[in-house]
Amino acid sequence: MVIPVVDKELCISCGNCIDICPDVFNWDADDKAEVIDPNGCGTKCPDCQEAADSCPTNAIVIQEGGGAEASEAAGQ
């Protein structure tokens, strides 16, 4: 299972990830991208790697993981 993680310090709120994977990413209260469904890659969004690749500041990384570890890494 792959899990997307957003580094909010690098996020410039361009919205590319939300445009590509709106079921996985959304805006947080500070208008930064956040992961709303860490288990959505491959199920709700087949293009999470494309979302990460489209980030101009490389604020999104796709990690291998699963279970409680993945939820913690995704900030859940």
Side-chain angles (χ1 to χ4, degrees):
M1 168 183 281
V2 295
I3 305 293
V5 178
V6 177
D7 182 336
K8 295 189 187 241
E9 291 183 22
L10 294 177
C11 179
I12 60 170
S13 306
C14 72
N16 289 349
C17 58
I18 295 168
D19 290 341
I20 294 168
C21 294
D23 291 326
V24 175
F25 300 96
N26 207 340
W27 300 115
D28 70 6
D30 296 321
D31 290 326
K32 300 285 186 174
E34 71 176 347
V35 177
I36 56 171
D37 186 355
N39 298 312
C41 289
T43 58
K44 292 183 179 178
C45 177
D47 299 320
C48 283
Q49 186 61 57
E50 180 184 342
D53 292 344
S54 75
C55 181
T57 61
N58 297 313
I60 302 170
V61 295
I62 306 296
Q63 298 180 345
E64 293 289 330
E69 233 175 57
S71 293
E72 185 178 310
Q76 303 294 317

